[in-house]
Amino acid sequence: MAESNKSNPNVRASPARRREDFDATELTLRFEQLLSRKRLNALAEQSRARPQSPSPHASSSQHGSRPTTSSSSVPPSYSSLRNLPKVATPPQDPASLKFRNLLVAISVTPLKYENPGLLDEALSVMPLDRIYGEAEEEKQLLEAQAASLGENERPEWGYQDCVIRALLRWYKRSFMKFVNNPPCSVCGSPSVAVGMTPPSPDEVARGALKVELYRCSASECGSYERFPRYSDVWAILQSRRGRCGEWANCFSMLCRALGGRVRWVWNAEDHVWTEVYSDHQKRWIHVDACEEAWDTPRLYAEGWGRKMSYCIAFSIDGATDVTRRYVRSAAAHGADRTRAPEEVLLFIINEIRKMRRETLSKEEKRRLIKEDDREEKELRNYVVRALTAEIESLLPSSTRSRTSGDAQKLPARQTGTAEWREARGENGQSGPDRPPREGH
C-alpha cells in the first residue's frame, strides 16, 4: 500500500513534507521574472508616451510619410524612469541653484586640512608615542587572531587603520569635551540658553559665523557666557570643545596629520562625521568621533532612529553621494530628497570632482576613477542586500537564510543631554519627521 501511494501522482504530500521540500530558488526565479516583465512594460509604456521616430528603412519605404505620434501628452511617471541611467543636468530652478551653491561652498572644508602649519601644530598636540604604541599592539593582536583561523587569513584591519582607531580613543576620552550648555566661567554654575548674539571681530576671524549666548543660573552671579561655533580648526585645537561640527572638523584634520585619507561627511539633517580610507580593505570607513564609532554606518538610521535624505562626503579629491551607505532601507529610514532632482545632484557631484581633480596627473585621475567605480559597486550592493532582506522576510521562517537581514543591534545617541537628544530625535525611537535643528 505504501508503495502504491508513493507511485500514485494523485496522492498529496503531507503539509510537513511540503514545508521540507520548499525551495526558495524557485520563488527567487519567479520574482526576477516578475521584475523583468515589469521593467519591460515600463519601457514599453514610456516609448508609447513619446513621439515615435521612423527608422531610415521605414522612411524610405513610405516615401516621406510622416511618423505617427502618440495622442497622449502626459510624460511618463517617475516610477517608470527611476531605474534608467541618470544624465547629469545643470541646475536651473532657484532651489537647485541654492543647493548647488551650498554644496560647492562646504566642499572646501577638507582643503583646509592641507595647511602645513596646521598639520605641524596637530602633530605637536597628539601623544604620538601612545597612539603608535597602541596601534602596534592592536595590529599584533589582529595578526595573531587571523593566524589562528588559518594560514591564508588576513587581519581584519591594517596598521594604518589601527593608528586611526587609537587616535579615535584618545580623542574621545582625553582630548575633546562635548558642550551642551557651557558652565559659567566666573562661578562654574550651569548656564541657561538665552539665544544668539553677533560674533565679535576676533570670533569672525577664527571662523565663528554664529555665537550662542548663555546666562549663569546662579542668581547672585548672572554672568553671560558666549559659545562661538568655530569652523576654523586652529581655533578648535585651542578650545578643545564643541559639538558634532567641531568634533568632526578637528578629528578629520588630525587623521590627515597622521597620513590618512579623509572625508568630511555632511548630512542634511544636521550632523557631520568623518570617513577614513582603509588601504587594507580598499574602502571608506565610517568614523564618528563624538560617539567613538568605527565602521558602523547604520548607526544613525537604525540606532538613533533618524530619517536621512542626503549624506555627501567631501575630500580633496571631490565629492560623493554616500547616502546609500548610511540609509540601507529608503522606505524605513529615508527622508524625501527634494532639494534638487537626482540628475542635478549628479551634475553638482561631477562639477566638484572636476574642480578638485583638474590639476592631477592622468595616472592619478585614472586611479580615482577606478576607486569611484569600486565604491559605486559597494553602494549598489547595499541596495541589493536590503532588497534581498525584504524579500526573504516574506518567506516562511524555515526557509530564510540565517544571515538574512544583516541584523545588528545599534545604540541610540550617547553624547549630549537627554533633553537635547530628544529634541533632535536621536534617542533611538523612530517617530514623526522633525525639521532639522541647528547645533551640530
Side-chain angles (χ1 to χ4, degrees):
M1 183 65 180
E3 292 294 331
S4 62
N5 288 345
K6 183 176 180 181
S7 60
N8 189 349
N10 295 324
V11 177
R12 296 184 177 181
S14 65
R17 177 152 182 95
R18 288 200 301 271
R19 285 195 296 268
E20 293 174 358
D21 294 342
F22 184 87
D23 187 3
T25 304
E26 181 180 356
L27 180 60
T28 303
L29 179 60
R30 291 168 57 189
F31 180 77
E32 291 175 349
Q33 292 173 345
L34 178 62
L35 286 181
S36 178
R37 287 196 298 270
K38 185 176 180 181
R39 173 73 173 145
L40 291 174
N41 292 339
L43 291 175
E45 180 182 351
Q46 174 194 348
S47 63
R48 288 195 298 270
R50 61 188 179 190
Q52 301 293 323
S53 299
S55 64
H57 301 290
S59 177
S60 60
S61 62
Q62 293 174 4
H63 304 287
S65 60
R66 294 183 178 180
T68 59
T69 59
S70 172
S71 59
S72 172
S73 60
V74 179
S77 64
Y78 172 73
S79 61
S80 66
L81 296 174
R82 61 185 175 185
N83 293 324
L84 296 177
K86 297 180 180 64
V87 178
T89 305
Q92 301 291 337
D93 59 281
S96 297
L97 289 169
K98 181 179 179 181
F99 192 41
R100 180 261 176 196
N101 293 338
L102 169 65
L103 295 184
V104 171
I106 63 179
S107 71
V108 303
T109 300
L111 303 183
K112 302 175 183 178
Y113 307 152
E114 302 303 305
N115 184 332
L118 178 63
L119 298 178
D120 288 342
E121 179 69 16
L123 290 174
S124 69
V125 168
M126 292 182 285
L128 297 180
D129 290 342
R130 170 182 169 181
I131 291 173
Y132 287 128
E134 290 183 7
E136 182 63 31
E137 290 179 4
E138 184 178 22
K139 170 179 171 289
Q140 294 177 4
L141 178 61
L142 293 173
E143 288 177 346
Q145 291 176 345
S148 66
L149 297 176
E151 182 179 354
N152 297 323
E153 291 293 328
R154 297 176 71 237
E156 182 179 9
W157 304 106
Y159 176 69
Q160 183 64 20
D161 303 326
C162 295
V163 169
I164 301 300
R165 286 162 62 89
L167 171 67
L168 176 63
R169 291 189 294 269
W170 166 79
Y171 186 82
K172 167 69 174 180
R173 304 174 190 180
S174 305
F175 185 73
M176 284 290 283
K177 180 179 179 181
F178 193 91
V179 175
N180 288 296
N181 292 15
C184 176
S185 58
V186 176
C187 67
S189 300
S191 63
V192 179
V194 175
M196 306 298 293
T197 187
S200 67
D202 179 65
E203 291 166 341
V204 171
R206 291 189 286 172
L209 301 180
K210 59 183 180 180
V211 177
E212 300 174 3
L213 187 63
Y214 296 84
R215 182 173 54 83
C216 179
S217 60
S219 57
E220 64 276 8
C221 181
S223 300
Y224 286 90
E225 192 73 21
R226 300 170 67 87
F227 179 34
R229 305 303 307 277
Y230 292 123
S231 60
D232 181 67
V233 189
W234 202 296
I236 302 172
L237 275 178
Q238 309 307 316
S239 68
R240 302 189 181 188
R241 67 174 190 169
R243 300 197 193 108
C244 316
E246 291 88 350
W247 279 62
N249 198 6
C250 186
F251 180 77
S252 299
M253 185 274 297
L254 294 180
C255 291
R256 186 70 185 120
L258 290 178
R261 293 178 58 199
V262 299
R263 281 172 168 176
W264 177 80
V265 185
W266 170 85
N267 168 236
E269 284 66 42
D270 194 35
H271 191 49
V272 287
W273 58 89
T274 306
E275 284 186 350
V276 180
Y277 189 78
S278 170
D279 286 318
H280 187 76
Q281 294 205 6
K282 303 299 180 185
R283 64 182 178 92
W284 288 94
I285 307 298
H286 156 257
V287 190
D288 191 316
C290 278
E291 304 294 297
E292 200 179 327
W294 172 270
D295 197 25
T296 53
R298 293 157 55 185
L299 172 68
Y300 312 116
E302 301 174 36
W304 295 9
R306 293 293 298 271
K307 290 182 178 293
M308 299 191 293
S309 55
Y310 298 96
C311 300
I312 312 295
F314 299 99
S315 72
I316 60 173
D317 298 320
T320 304
D321 181 3
V322 294
T323 309
R324 288 170 289 176
R325 177 174 292 129
Y326 298 93
V327 181
R328 302 298 173 87
S329 173
H333 306 116
D336 292 337
R337 293 163 62 99
T338 58
R339 297 204 179 192
E342 296 300 313
E343 294 79 5
V344 171
L345 178 57
L346 178 60
F347 178 89
I348 299 171
I349 295 293
N350 292 340
E351 180 184 17
I352 296 174
R353 286 181 178 177
K354 183 177 180 181
M355 287 191 293
R356 300 289 175 260
R357 301 178 184 182
E358 59 184 357
T359 60
L360 299 179
S361 64
K362 292 183 179 180
E363 293 76 11
E364 191 71 8
K365 289 179 180 179
R366 283 196 292 265
R367 182 186 66 79
L368 291 174
I369 290 175
K370 289 182 179 179
E371 189 177 287
D372 294 337
D373 292 340
R374 184 166 61 245
E375 183 175 27
E376 177 61 25
K377 291 179 181 178
E378 174 195 343
L379 297 175
R380 288 180 180 176
N381 185 51
Y382 293 139
V383 178
V384 172
R385 290 169 61 181
L387 179 60
T388 302
E390 292 181 10
I391 295 172
E392 291 196 349
S393 67
L394 303 176
L395 299 176
S397 58
S398 60
T399 62
R400 296 179 191 173
S401 169
R402 292 184 178 180
T403 59
S404 66
D406 225 4
Q408 184 181 6
K409 180 64 175 177
L410 297 167
R413 185 165 191 163
Q414 306 299 307
T415 51
T417 63
E419 294 79 11
W420 187 75
R421 296 196 302 265
E422 173 65 25
R424 290 173 56 88
E426 297 169 348
N427 58 359
Q429 300 175 1
S430 298
D433 295 341
R434 293 177 173 88
R437 289 188 54 191
E438 294 186 0
H440 66 269

